[in-house]
Amino acid sequence: MAVLEVKDLIKKYGQGESEVIALDQVTFSVERGEFVAIVGASGSGKSTLMNMIGGIDYPTSGSIIIDGNEIQRMREDELAIFRRRNLGIVYQFYNLIPTLTAEENIALPWKLDGRKENKARLTEIVQMLGLENRAKHLPGQMSGGQQQRVAIARAIAAQPPVILADEPTGNLDSASTQEIMEILKGLHEAGHSVILITHDNEIAEQAKRVVRILDGKIVEDYVNT
């Protein structure tokens, strides 16, 4: 069963002679529990695609269906709630709140949704990501790799059907990069649906499936054996 369906997706910027087609009839799906890397160079359209899937921007035409919900039909306020509950988004630059501890950053999705903090789940996540010794620390007191682990913990706190990781290793050294990739692999093995956006072919090849995008079109889609 598909957790994500992208159908005939088109995204245009500008008009007339200045028109740019960032995405051109993009169609693919991701099955529940898959680990898929979407890879492409700068300007290929992968970041635009990430913004469409993440509900950050609207397509010009086409549809995006996440867990049975056609998100491009939602109003902005509806989309904000849906994104918070159904998409665990991990960014390259962590996007942690600098005045909140690691634990407080992880619990943020519950608070923003007006829900009570799930202390048992919080403890489970902190242990899963190896953050026991950093739980009370502020982001500025942690390394880049540790901050990204907190960002991943925050992304999975509400147990969303899709984890969307946008260049999650782009700001890390090689050791931290592999550490984060092992965490993403572990989440996949635990049953999470993981979509990784990257420009790095070596990183992409660690996913179970690779979707390559060029000039706004999918040019390759294969499963790693």
Side-chain angles (χ1 to χ4, degrees):
M1 181 179 176
V3 71
L4 168 68
E5 296 175 82
V6 176
K7 299 179 179 178
D8 300 320
L9 204 64
I10 295 175
K11 179 63 178 180
K12 298 179 180 179
Y13 295 102
Q15 294 180 342
E17 292 183 1
S18 62
E19 182 181 86
V20 174
I21 301 176
L23 295 175
D24 189 359
Q25 298 282 338
V26 171
T27 297
F28 72 102
S29 63
V30 174
E31 294 300 306
R32 195 174 300 278
E34 266 198 295
F35 183 9
V36 179
I38 299 173
V39 62
S42 178
S44 63
K46 70 180 187 304
S47 295
T48 302
L49 181 57
M50 184 270 172
N51 288 339
M52 302 295 114
I53 296 171
I56 297 165
D57 197 4
Y58 287 90
T60 303
S61 64
S63 63
I64 304 159
I65 303 168
I66 297 176
D67 211 24
N69 299 275
E70 202 164 349
I71 68 170
Q72 87 283 348
R73 295 182 179 274
M74 295 179 181
R75 301 190 312 267
E76 285 191 15
D77 56 339
E78 294 174 323
L79 192 53
I81 294 170
F82 179 86
R83 184 169 55 239
R84 188 164 62 237
R85 294 178 179 175
N86 295 275
L87 290 169
I89 303 179
V90 181
Y91 297 95
Q92 178 177 349
F93 294 104
Y94 326 130
N95 283 19
L96 300 177
I97 307 299
T99 55
L100 299 182
T101 65
E103 277 187 338
E104 290 167 340
N105 268 287
I106 295 167
L108 199 57
W110 293 313
K111 293 186 177 181
L112 291 174
D113 210 27
R115 289 186 285 169
K116 187 177 180 180
E117 181 181 304
N118 186 332
K119 292 189 181 297
R121 173 68 176 160
L122 179 59
T123 299
E124 177 190 4
I125 296 169
V126 166
Q127 292 175 347
M128 183 191 307
L129 275 297
L131 291 165
E132 297 95 327
N133 295 329
R134 295 290 181 223
K136 304 298 183 184
H137 289 203
L138 297 173
Q141 298 171 311
M142 293 183 278
S143 68
Q146 290 165 346
Q147 289 184 67
Q148 193 62 293
R149 277 191 276 157
V150 174
I152 292 172
R154 179 184 59 190
I156 66 174
Q159 296 180 298
V162 175
I163 298 169
L164 187 59
D166 181 24
E167 298 278 9
T169 63
N171 201 37
L172 302 176
D173 60 31
S174 58
S176 295
T177 289
Q178 197 52 43
E179 177 184 278
I180 294 304
M181 287 305 299
E182 292 304 322
I183 289 170
L184 294 177
K185 290 177 191 176
L187 292 173
H188 158 65
E189 290 167 3
H192 291 275
S193 306
V194 181
I195 302 171
L196 167 68
I197 312 293
T198 182
H199 69 279
D200 190 320
N201 288 313
E202 290 186 13
I203 293 295
E205 289 299 328
Q206 295 188 53
K208 294 295 183 181
R209 177 178 159 210
V210 178
V211 176
R212 195 173 302 280
I213 189 168
L214 177 67
D215 297 333
K217 295 181 180 182
I218 291 176
V219 294
E220 211 172 4
D221 186 344
Y222 58 90
V223 175
N224 278 321
T225 55

